[in-house]
Amino acid sequence: MKEQEVKRTDVNTLGEFGLIEHITKDFNNIHPSTNKGIGDDAAVLDASGRKMVVSTDMFVEGIHFDLVYSPLKHIGYKAVIVNLSDIYAMNAIPEQITFSMAFSSKYSVEAIQEIYEGVRTACDLYKVDLIGGDTTSSTKGMSISVTAIGYAKEEEIVGRSGAQVGDVICVTGDLGAAYLGLQILEREKQLYINHPGIQPDLAKAQYLIERQLKPEARKDAIDYFRKNEIIPTSMIDISDGLTSELFHICKSSGVGAFIEEGKVPIHDDSQMMALQFNMDPITSALNGGEDYELLFTINEKDLEKVRYMPDIYMIGDIVPKDDGIKLHTTGGNRHDLKAQGWNHFQT
Ligand code: ADP
Ligand code: MG
């Protein structure tokens, strides 16, 4: 597409209030808990005796997203999804979000609107109300902050600290794909920088790239828990890699864990791509981030109910703390798992 064909309206032509009105006009509130949304100094919420669960995340251009390969719509979508995932990981249901942005003059009204199309798609699909935010300028690039607000009965809330020896460790979907998707996008970006004329060959990488650019949150798992009266003993969402999240659960709960290598779910495309990157597929599954699957532990009495969940994998057991946090390899060895995770401050 040629630059000059793209309509570009400078943000200053609308002004701050005009812009806010423009980008939020297609949002409608659906929850009775949203007493007052956008348009006043603050939103008003009604928890109706339920517990409120609140989570915030920031996304910074160049750190968490790269405009070279992230469509604007996907940036808005993912920023919302990542926050909803944190609410689901508490076994709560999100009903509201706020969405705040600081952006430089390189962003046009059309660009901001595209981001909001992604926000609206996520709000529609996951049934959450956009109840406010803030809009301001920055000297360089874009920063986004999203806050999600969810609700649950007190006894439904699941933290990281309830795992007990004998519990079964479960995960809601395959792991490592988002990380491998990112590796592909970074590789193609370098290729493009070195050979600007070249068209990227992404045909075989579609699943992995989608897992990176357009992740989903596991609302279906929480809905299943509600319907079947299951309350996991502990739960966390996999944003920093399975090992890292397992360490959080074990540390908070004062337990150890055994993971069976052969039971860790890895998509066929991930297997293939990991090998192309000279990486052991299990390494990307254990340490790759941004899968936004739920890792949870379940008491043995609930095992039968969980077994029929779609897309569920039972990958190990909670053991006494002194037994450590270990991987049983398919070759019959036992390794200590080492948490690597993401470190945004690493240079
Ligand atoms: P204030 O000056 O009190 O911060 P604003 O003018 O920033 O108020 O915001 C006016 C209304 O628009 C508020 O309800 C606020 O929550 C909402 N709002 C501002 N920016 C955004 C945004 N980026 N997305 C959604 N709502 C927003
Ligand atoms: Mg404001």
Side-chain angles (χ1 to χ4, degrees):
M1 205 170 358
K2 286 199 210 96
E3 225 23 74
Q4 59 266 37
E5 285 172 8
V6 181
K7 186 158 182 268
R8 192 187 185 290
T9 310
D10 194 285
V11 166
N12 291 316
T13 56
L14 285 182
E16 187 191 329
F17 299 126
L19 178 71
I20 294 169
E21 219 171 273
H22 185 61
I23 57 181
T24 59
K25 68 179 181 334
D26 294 329
F27 286 81
N28 296 306
N29 296 333
I30 54 170
H31 289 290
S33 55
T34 305
N35 284 6
K36 193 187 257 286
I38 293 169
D40 216 311
D41 295 316
V44 181
L45 304 180
D46 181 2
S48 298
R50 300 170 298 172
K51 293 286 172 189
M52 292 176 97
V53 179
V54 181
S55 170
T56 297
D57 272 300
M58 282 199 75
F59 307 89
V60 178
E61 182 179 343
I63 307 276
H64 305 95
F65 61 89
D66 189 328
L67 286 178
V68 171
Y69 51 70
S70 304
L72 291 163
K73 222 179 271 181
H74 290 38
I75 293 170
Y77 190 83
K78 182 171 174 176
V80 176
I81 294 301
V82 166
N83 266 267
L84 301 185
S85 179
D86 277 321
I87 302 292
Y88 294 126
M90 301 297 292
N91 198 32
I93 309 256
E95 295 187 0
Q96 288 91 13
I97 59 160
T98 66
F99 196 96
S100 302
M101 289 180 297
F103 52 89
S104 68
S105 55
K106 80 171 177 184
Y107 287 88
S108 63
V109 171
E110 288 77 12
I112 301 300
Q113 201 170 1
E114 261 196 63
I115 292 176
Y116 265 72
E117 272 177 39
V119 175
R120 190 154 57 88
T121 305
C123 285
D124 284 349
L125 268 174
Y126 288 83
K127 300 195 169 39
V128 294
D129 297 340
L130 176 71
I131 54 152
D134 200 21
T135 308
T136 184
S137 56
S138 83
T139 49
K140 200 166 166 279
M142 172 172 286
S143 299
I144 294 171
S145 172
V146 182
T147 297
I149 299 147
Y151 303 83
K153 290 185 203 135
E154 184 167 10
E155 62 276 17
E156 285 170 336
I157 293 177
V158 176
R160 301 174 174 186
S161 62
Q164 304 266 345
V165 175
D167 287 352
V168 176
I169 302 168
C170 306
V171 66
T172 54
D174 68 273
L175 303 178
Y179 170 80
L180 289 162
L182 181 63
Q183 301 313 304
I184 296 165
L185 292 166
E186 286 288 339
R187 181 186 69 190
E188 297 301 323
K189 178 183 168 181
Q190 284 312 316
L191 259 175
Y192 180 79
I193 289 169
N194 298 332
H195 311 277
I198 208 167
Q199 281 298 315
D201 173 22
L202 302 176
K204 291 193 192 70
Q206 198 189 338
Y207 175 71
L208 305 177
I209 290 173
E210 210 172 290
R211 290 281 280 174
Q212 166 59 222
L213 293 183
K214 194 176 170 292
E216 300 296 345
R218 298 312 300 260
K219 177 181 195 306
D220 58 325
I222 306 309
D223 290 342
Y224 187 95
F225 291 154
R226 295 275 153 111
K227 212 183 265 167
N228 293 281
E229 296 179 345
I230 300 165
I231 298 182
T233 52
S234 71
M235 185 152 60
I236 191 165
D237 72 327
I238 304 187
S239 48
D240 292 341
L242 172 64
T243 307
S244 170
E245 312 303 357
L246 190 63
F247 267 71
H248 287 309
I249 284 186
C250 287
K251 190 165 177 244
S252 297
S253 301
V255 294
F258 280 0
I259 298 291
E260 293 278 353
E261 180 183 3
K263 291 185 177 168
V264 175
I266 303 175
H267 193 277
D268 284 349
D269 294 1
S270 304
Q271 293 271 6
M272 213 173 60
M273 195 54 68
L275 296 174
Q276 268 190 34
F277 280 111
N278 287 321
M279 197 185 284
D280 191 343
I282 189 71
T283 307
S284 63
L286 292 175
N287 301 310
E290 300 196 288
D291 291 312
Y292 300 107
E293 297 297 340
L294 295 170
L295 175 71
F296 62 92
T297 55
I298 201 97
N299 187 292
E300 263 185 310
K301 74 171 166 45
D302 289 326
L303 213 50
E304 271 315 301
K305 292 185 198 167
V306 168
R307 215 181 281 286
Y308 299 106
M309 271 177 90
D311 216 16
I312 196 78
Y313 302 88
M314 297 175 185
I315 60 171
D317 299 295
I318 294 295
V319 298
K321 189 177 176 199
D322 290 347
D323 291 350
I325 303 174
K326 292 198 161 66
L327 182 73
H328 287 195
T329 68
T330 41
N333 294 317
R334 287 177 185 200
H335 292 299
D336 281 332
L337 278 170
K338 291 199 174 57
Q340 295 173 4
W342 292 131
N343 187 347
H344 292 302
F345 296 101
Q346 231 162 35
T347 47

